[in-house]
Amino acid sequence: MKTVFSPLHNRRTATTELDGGILIAPHEKPSRAETILGRVKQEQLGEVLPPREYGLGPVLRVHTQDYVDFLRVSWADWIAEGKPGEAISAVWPGRGMRHRVPKDIDGRLGYYSFGAETSITEGTWDAVCASADVALTAQALVANGESAAFALCRPPGHHAHADLFGGYCFFNNAAISAQAFRDQGAKRVAVLDVDFHHGNGTQSIFYQRDDVMTISLHGDPDLVFPHFLGFEDETGEGPGEGFNLNLVYPPGTPFSVWLDGLETACARIAAWQPDALVIALGVDTFEDDPISFFKLRSADYLLMGERLGKLNLPTLFTMEGGYDVDAIGVNVVNVLKGFEQAR
Ligand SMILES: NCCCNCCCCCS
Ligand SMILES: [Mg+2]
Ligand SMILES: [Zn+2]
């Protein structure tokens, strides 16, 4: 399986994440991508390619122009105000307030985000654009005949809405790729999010559509991020009714229980017969992940990949979460190796 990777992920060098009332070193750090890349090479998964540059066209098929314009100027506007730290929102349009875009950078940060854990920094824009190019380059490999490809994206994307950043995500790489499949002629595309957290961004982007099916397995939002979306009664809206599926699990969920959910998801996907499958691949389902509460073990990721391979669909993997950096390389490449063994 080919991997697409860009060293420009290193432009995303946030040094702060608001957590527990203090600014900690971010969980979403450069060593995540470097460790995965090292394992891809060590396991000889396949060729590693640099991304082609697609520009903002495909991004704007998913994200709004005003949001993209905001992201591009956000850091410059922040430092123009003489702010001492990284760009972090401290205010949001809460219930009963006006949902309009303020002029001030603090107001715009709040309008275009849903969490304070994700800071914007000097090189964020460059890294975010490169991450989308990585996804689109891997998507093109699959659209042009590769049975599968791995987009080693950083920063991740599945929490990003059409005009919201958060959860370490800015451009929704999986959604941008699913839309690219559609724009290139695929009639039906399924996005399956196996990250520990609900793919709230991906769900919201396609929630009223019946051409892109979104499914996510995740920790109970009553207990974890993103807190305000991802419940099992969210099944789609309007034409999209029935094309969203959330499978929610409690603390301590072992692979055996999680696998039942994967089986449900795979049955739904197989019945729908999509032309392409996007896997939002987070491995924060791992037993030692610092911010999650499932109990999957490294060997389980081989079985996960095998089950996904058995769907026999053209498949794009986009890298999402996973924060135990010691184990992330083994766990990610285990999914990809298990997938290939099933083919
Ligand atoms: N105490 C940790 C809170 C982390 N909140 C954001 C989680 C984003 C996961 C991205 S996959
Ligand atoms: Mg998920
Ligand atoms: Zn996650």
Side-chain angles (χ1 to χ4, degrees):
M1 185 185 305
K2 292 186 173 68
T3 294
V4 184
F5 170 81
S6 170
L8 281 175
H9 81 84
N10 274 306
R11 296 281 287 134
R12 173 71 183 150
T13 54
T15 61
T16 66
E17 171 181 345
L18 181 61
D19 184 48
I22 58 169
L23 292 176
I24 64 171
H27 291 289
E28 204 296 286
K29 51 192 167 186
S31 58
R32 298 179 60 246
E34 296 300 328
T35 303
I36 296 164
L37 179 65
R39 185 71 179 178
V40 161
K41 291 177 176 173
Q42 181 188 347
E43 291 296 298
Q44 299 177 321
L45 186 75
E47 201 182 345
V48 178
L49 306 166
R52 289 178 41 212
E53 290 188 26
Y54 286 85
L56 292 172
V59 170
L60 288 164
R61 294 286 292 137
V62 160
H63 293 288
T64 63
Q65 183 72 57
D66 60 303
Y67 172 66
V68 171
D69 291 344
F70 159 75
L71 278 182
R72 186 177 34 225
V73 303
S74 53
W75 176 249
D77 289 2
W78 177 260
I79 52 172
E81 296 280 311
K83 307 276 191 184
E86 297 182 341
I88 298 175
S89 179
V91 63
W92 284 273
R95 269 180 299 287
M97 300 183 83
R98 302 282 297 278
H99 281 238
R100 60 180 291 285
V101 187
K103 284 192 176 51
D104 168 72
I105 183 62
D106 287 296
R108 279 183 289 139
L109 274 168
Y111 180 86
Y112 287 115
S113 69
F114 65 92
E117 77 289 313
T118 307
S119 69
I120 290 177
T121 57
E122 187 267 329
T124 297
W125 171 255
D126 293 343
V128 165
C129 290
S131 192
D133 283 336
V134 164
L136 287 162
T137 304
Q139 183 272 335
L141 289 172
V142 177
N144 297 327
E146 295 277 347
S147 60
F150 174 40
L152 211 181
C153 294
R154 183 180 173 267
H158 71 139
H159 293 303
H161 291 227
D163 63 355
L164 283 178
F165 71 90
Y168 319 145
C169 300
F170 300 89
F171 284 166
N172 193 317
N173 303 312
I176 291 165
S177 302
Q179 186 60 50
F181 275 119
R182 286 283 294 114
D183 291 344
Q184 294 159 22
K187 290 278 171 292
R188 290 182 303 282
V189 182
V191 184
L192 172 57
D193 186 311
V194 298
D195 186 282
F196 168 77
H197 300 91
H198 175 234
N200 56 293
T202 316
Q203 171 177 309
S204 69
I205 287 163
F206 297 114
Y207 203 57
Q208 302 190 350
R209 290 173 51 173
D210 60 0
D211 57 329
V212 178
M213 176 183 281
T214 49
I215 302 177
S216 178
L217 289 77
H218 47 269
D220 187 348
D222 241 348
L223 305 173
V224 286
F225 188 92
H227 304 290
F228 303 108
L229 207 64
F231 296 93
E232 293 196 347
D233 63 350
E234 296 155 22
T235 56
E237 220 168 59
E241 174 58 48
F243 290 87
N244 186 78
L245 174 64
N246 287 325
L247 297 165
V248 170
Y249 295 97
T253 295
F255 180 63
S256 58
V257 172
W258 191 92
L259 186 60
D260 286 345
L262 183 64
E263 200 49 56
T264 301
C266 288
R268 179 77 72 97
I269 291 167
W272 193 51
Q273 294 184 325
D275 303 300
L277 173 64
V278 178
I279 303 288
L281 178 57
V283 291
D284 37 6
T285 45
F286 184 54
E287 60 184 335
D288 296 336
D289 192 89
I291 65 170
S292 309
F293 58 46
F294 288 169
K295 293 297 169 198
L296 274 65
R297 298 188 179 132
S298 291
D300 297 331
Y301 291 98
L302 286 162
L303 301 173
M304 183 192 296
E306 187 183 338
R307 183 61 188 88
L308 296 172
K310 283 182 179 152
L311 284 168
N312 260 320
L313 291 167
T315 303
L316 168 69
F317 291 90
T318 61
M319 191 63 220
E320 303 292 350
Y323 304 101
D324 178 333
V325 179
D326 294 338
I328 194 169
V330 171
N331 293 343
V332 169
V333 176
N334 273 1
V335 174
L336 304 176
K337 280 167 47 182
F339 180 91
E340 288 198 311
Q341 280 154 18
R343 289 311 254 263

